[in-house]
Amino acid sequence: MHEFKRGSTNYNRSMSMDALSADTECMHSRPQSVAAEHDVAFSLLPMSASDPQLEYCLRLAHNNMSPYLERRCEQFSDARWRELAPEAEFYLIVDDANTTRENVGFVSVRRDPDCPPALHIGDVQVEAAHQYRGAGSAALRWIEDLANSRGLTELTLNVFRDNPALRLYERCGFQLIDTRFYKYKMRKTLVD
């Protein structure tokens, strides 16, 4: 089992752990349940930097992101992910409708150093068998609540141009702010 150590860099960009708001510990202490569309409920369970479930997150990110990277003649780097992931906060997405409370994905977030009032969404990864069931929408609503609870006013994310999740992000109110590269940068301004 690999131990994920807190470092100075996130797999999207660097950030200071001091930048996390004080309510992080409060949010980490209990699961958050969100009812999604189709009457399916999901919980988001916080994970620590040493949680063995981070290996699950790595495998899912590798499986989901590899096709997009391969189309660009690039490869997913497990080593790079392990090196950079510890700066993010990770939450498992758990299917509460299933009696076994199965993991269906994960999200990761961090403060955006380029935009101090923003929470950056590094990952919304959902198992292929569980996509289009509301897990992504539920996770985005939960992340918005998390950002609001921290007094942040924006959410940001990056998405491959050809990722079908782009439509989900647009439906959830994200707007394109940079389209120059093979990934779009998107932002959602939060309102009280």
Side-chain angles (χ1 to χ4, degrees):
M1 178 176 359
H2 187 275
E3 171 99 8
F4 288 80
K5 297 188 190 295
R6 296 251 179 230
S8 62
T9 312
N10 180 287
Y11 57 92
N12 288 306
R13 280 192 212 114
S14 62
M15 77 171 252
S16 165
M17 288 309 292
D18 297 332
L20 295 175
S21 68
D23 67 341
T24 301
E25 291 305 313
C26 177
M27 294 305 295
H28 280 267
S29 64
R30 64 191 183 280
Q32 302 295 311
S33 183
V34 182
E37 300 99 36
H38 308 90
D39 296 319
V40 176
F42 299 93
S43 292
L44 276 80
L45 305 176
M47 299 176 6
S48 70
S50 61
D51 194 317
Q53 290 284 356
L54 285 173
E55 288 297 324
Y56 162 79
C57 297
L58 169 59
R59 285 191 310 276
L60 183 57
H62 184 121
N63 291 342
N64 285 358
M65 300 311 295
S66 287
Y68 300 104
L69 292 165
E70 289 167 2
R71 284 195 283 273
R72 291 157 179 84
C73 299
E74 296 179 31
Q75 291 184 341
F76 187 92
S77 170
D78 290 4
R80 181 83 174 138
W81 195 92
R82 279 192 174 96
E83 174 189 335
L84 301 175
E87 288 302 315
E89 298 171 52
F90 284 81
Y91 300 87
L92 287 174
I93 304 171
V94 177
D95 183 350
D96 289 334
N98 183 326
T99 58
T100 62
R101 300 200 72 233
E102 177 180 16
N103 293 341
V104 298
F106 76 95
V107 298
S108 68
V109 297
R110 65 172 173 76
R111 291 293 297 268
D112 189 336
D114 293 338
C115 184
L119 187 64
H120 183 78
I121 302 168
D123 287 288
V124 178
Q125 300 288 347
V126 177
E127 298 275 356
H130 296 282
Q131 292 175 1
Y132 305 103
R133 293 184 47 233
S137 298
L140 289 171
R141 284 192 301 276
W142 184 86
I143 292 168
E144 186 171 335
D145 290 345
L146 178 65
N148 280 324
S149 76
R150 294 178 180 185
L152 301 172
T153 58
E154 294 180 351
L155 296 174
T156 61
L157 59 82
N158 299 315
V159 60
F160 285 105
R161 294 172 180 252
D162 54 340
N163 187 332
L166 175 63
R167 291 186 298 280
L168 166 66
Y169 301 140
E170 290 173 332
R171 279 194 317 271
C172 289
F174 285 83
Q175 298 178 337
L176 296 171
I177 57 173
D178 189 349
T179 61
R180 293 176 290 169
F181 303 103
Y182 61 88
K183 281 186 176 180
Y184 289 150
K185 174 111 178 169
M186 302 184 83
R187 174 176 48 220
K188 179 176 182 175
T189 301
L190 305 177
V191 292
D192 292 329

